[in-house]
């Protein structure tokens, strides 16, 4: 079932279950955020395929992630700081630009990947993720931790590893959590060697 969703094209990819802090200063996005706070409604974050984060609306990749605002603050007039929690992935069917410059999409949700056990040969990826979370603090990683789920481990590693935007986007679009984890494990092996 299609729904209408305000879209926020960024030079980043957010994965379901992840957190993303944002600094909002463009008027179109301040209005979008104020509405999302008032209605407790989500908006979509999509990686930019063409264009820039500011100015004319950028062309996003067609798969993005719904996020919901969990906290906000306005430390100075005209700048909003928000914390977002990522929910489910969606695919954009159609976009239009509203008069204020906000990009709005007609989107269909993508079914969540079912939890799946991590194959024994990919346990190294789990150990590295545990180390990263212990090192950087649990504040950056929303609980509950699911170290036995290939979906959760793959999403969290996709967020924190130094990957190109296009690779992150491919990992988001993938519907096979074990394959995603294999790709990440290969990347980790290359970094270690």
């Amino acid at each position: 079932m299609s729904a209408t969703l305000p879209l926020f094209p960024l030079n980043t990819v957010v994965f379901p279950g992840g957190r993303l802090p944002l600094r909002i200063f463009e008027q179109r996005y301040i209005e979008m955020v104020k509405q999302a706070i008032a209605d407790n409604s989500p908006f979509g974050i999509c990686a930019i395929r063409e264009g820039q984060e500011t100015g004319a609306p950028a062309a996003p990749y067609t798969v993005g992630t719904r996020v919901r605002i969990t906290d906000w603050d306005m430390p100075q007039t005209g700048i909003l700081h928000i914390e977002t929690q990522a929910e489910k992935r969606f695919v954009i069917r159609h976009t239009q630009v509203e008069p204020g410059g906000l990009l709005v999409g007609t989107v269909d949700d993508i079914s969540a990947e079912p939890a799946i056990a991590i194959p024994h040969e990919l346990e190294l990826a789990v150990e590295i993720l545990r180390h990263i979370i212990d090192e950087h603090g649990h504040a950056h990683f929303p609980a509950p931790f699911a170290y036995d789920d290939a979906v959760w481990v793959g999403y969290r590693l996709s967020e924190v590893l130094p990957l190109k935007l296009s690779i992150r986007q491919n990992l988001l679009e993938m519907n096979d959590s074990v394959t995603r984890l294999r790709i990440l494990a290969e990347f980790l092996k290359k970094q270690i060697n």
Side-chain angles (χ1 to χ4, degrees):
M1 194 170 102
S2 295
T4 302
L5 194 65
L7 301 176
F8 195 171
L10 291 169
N11 286 314
T12 193
V13 175
V14 62
F15 291 81
R19 285 191 179 143
L20 183 66
L22 294 168
R23 189 171 162 270
I24 312 293
F25 54 88
E26 275 195 86
Q27 193 57 42
R28 59 185 162 175
Y29 297 125
I30 287 176
E31 294 302 319
M32 176 192 78
V33 165
K34 283 164 58 177
Q35 194 67 51
I37 291 167
D39 301 342
N40 189 25
S41 58
F43 60 91
I45 291 182
C46 312
I48 293 174
R49 188 173 40 81
E50 289 175 22
Q52 304 296 319
E53 284 187 355
T54 57
Y61 283 96
T62 56
V63 174
T65 309
R66 281 178 194 265
V67 300
R68 199 168 291 273
I69 297 167
T70 57
D71 196 15
W72 65 275
D73 185 27
M74 188 181 275
Q76 63 192 83
T77 305
I79 297 180
L80 269 171
H81 290 197
I82 63 171
E83 292 288 332
T84 65
Q85 174 79 38
E87 296 178 339
K88 56 177 73 168
R89 298 173 300 157
F90 61 82
V91 61
I92 300 170
R93 299 298 179 200
H94 173 75
T95 60
Q96 67 181 45
V97 179
E98 292 191 334
L102 183 67
L103 192 65
V104 175
T106 303
V107 304
D108 293 332
D109 286 337
I110 297 172
S111 296
E113 292 177 73
I116 186 166
I118 294 172
H120 179 68
E121 72 273 12
L122 298 176
E123 284 293 327
L124 173 66
V126 177
E127 291 312 307
I128 289 173
L129 180 61
R130 275 184 198 277
H131 177 73
I132 290 169
I133 291 176
D134 289 345
E135 186 84 12
H136 294 283
H138 292 212
H140 300 286
F141 299 91
F145 300 145
Y147 290 116
D148 57 348
D149 177 10
V151 181
W152 188 85
V153 171
Y155 281 165
R156 300 297 72 83
L157 281 172
S158 297
E159 289 168 348
V160 299
L161 293 178
L163 304 167
K164 291 194 322 197
L165 185 69
S166 59
I167 292 171
R168 254 186 248 279
Q169 182 65 32
N170 288 340
L171 294 169
L172 178 70
E173 293 177 10
M174 217 173 259
N175 282 316
D176 182 337
S177 53
V178 173
T179 299
R180 181 185 299 114
L181 206 48
R182 282 192 209 294
I183 290 167
L184 293 163
E186 282 304 310
F187 174 83
L188 287 166
K189 282 180 194 162
K190 286 179 186 160
Q191 302 306 306
I192 292 166
N193 293 334

